[in-house]
């Protein structure tokens, strides 16, 4: 699997820390110690009552009985993983203070794609590599920026450009629309 730009690696590490932190917090609030597998299963019984990082943490702690991957992270077409992956998107998405509405949803979808890259088309992965660091900074593309970026991906992104240096969605679209 192709390596990720350093900014994306850092963003993903930040997301992983949120996921693991959510798990540790939830676990430490239990009156009596519970088995990790039982705890994870109980979270997935009612994913809509928990914030998404905890739901992702629960999936990480279970193993798919069909393909042996982390639950929900196996190859697309594994019925158990496809079913479990749906739970990922039932978790609550509460926007952090000071970010535009929908930023948490964008962050979560983007991080889900990047954490299970083999489950997604290459172009989707490529876009989210560039988006996730910007989402984490609280940025969101305008509809026009999103459409221009998608159109550029369809045409084929220009070669030889380090898109990960874009600090804003406007810069990213500018780079992506560059014609050789
Ligand atoms: Zn599976």
């Amino acid at each position: 699997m192709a390596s990720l730009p350093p900014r994306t690696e850092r963003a993903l590490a930040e997301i992983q820390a949120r996921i693991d932190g959510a798990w540790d917090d939830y676990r430490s609030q239990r009156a009596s110690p519970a088995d990790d597998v039982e705890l994870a299963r109980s979270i997935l019984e009612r994913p809509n009552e928990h914030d998404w990082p905890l739901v992702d943490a629960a999936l990480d702690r279970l193993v798919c009985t069909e393909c042996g991957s982390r639950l929900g992270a196996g190859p697309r077409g594994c019925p158990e993983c496809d079913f479990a992956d749906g739970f990922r998107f039932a978790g609550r998405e509460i926007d952090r203070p000071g970010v535009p509405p929908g930023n948490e949803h964008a962050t979560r979808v983007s991080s889900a794609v990047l954490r299970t890259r083999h489950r997604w088309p290459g172009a989707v992965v490529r876009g989210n590599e560039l988006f996730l660091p910007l989402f984490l900074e609280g940025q969101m593309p305008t509809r026009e920026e999103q459409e221009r970026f998608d159109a550029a991906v369809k045409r084929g992104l220009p070669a030889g450009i380090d898109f990960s240096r874009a600090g804003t969605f406007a810069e990213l679209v500018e780079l992506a629309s560059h014609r050789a």
Side-chain angles (χ1 to χ4, degrees):
M1 196 172 283
S3 63
L4 295 169
R7 278 178 83 196
T8 312
E9 291 283 8
R10 285 195 295 277
L12 267 180
E14 193 178 324
I15 293 286
Q16 191 64 50
R18 276 175 72 181
I19 290 170
D20 293 336
W23 177 264
D24 291 343
D25 283 352
Y26 186 75
R27 211 168 182 285
S28 66
Q29 285 160 14
R30 311 283 297 188
S32 59
D35 176 66
D36 276 4
V37 169
E38 272 171 42
L39 203 57
R41 286 212 182 103
S42 73
I43 289 164
L44 293 178
E45 273 168 25
R46 279 184 281 280
N48 56 324
E49 291 179 7
H50 303 287
D51 292 344
W52 71 267
L54 185 63
V55 176
D56 265 43
L59 287 168
D60 282 356
R61 281 158 183 82
L62 295 173
V63 172
C64 173
T65 57
E66 303 225 17
C67 74
S69 303
R70 280 183 296 125
L71 188 58
R76 212 172 259 285
C78 170
E80 197 175 327
C81 281
D82 288 352
F83 184 66
D85 194 39
F87 290 151
R88 199 186 296 285
F89 296 93
R92 290 184 307 208
E93 299 162 336
I94 298 170
D95 281 315
R96 294 168 294 161
V99 302
N103 178 268
E104 191 68 11
H105 176 70
T107 300
R108 181 259 278 277
V109 171
S110 188
S111 67
V113 168
L114 294 177
R115 295 182 76 239
T116 58
R117 278 178 274 163
H118 52 283
R119 293 179 59 81
W120 301 89
V124 174
V125 172
R126 188 79 185 100
N128 280 292
E129 283 176 12
L130 303 170
F131 300 163
L132 182 64
L134 302 178
F135 289 149
L136 271 186
E137 287 172 8
Q139 299 190 47
M140 293 287 277
T142 62
R143 176 180 283 271
E144 193 207 339
E145 285 165 350
Q146 181 75 56
E147 285 172 0
R148 284 182 62 199
F149 185 81
D150 291 346
V153 168
K154 264 197 201 111
R155 284 196 306 270
L157 289 176
I161 292 180
D162 176 14
F163 295 100
S164 69
R165 70 188 154 94
T168 62
F169 279 101
E171 281 174 34
L172 179 59
V173 169
E174 202 51 49
L175 288 174
S177 309
H178 185 83
R179 309 278 192 145

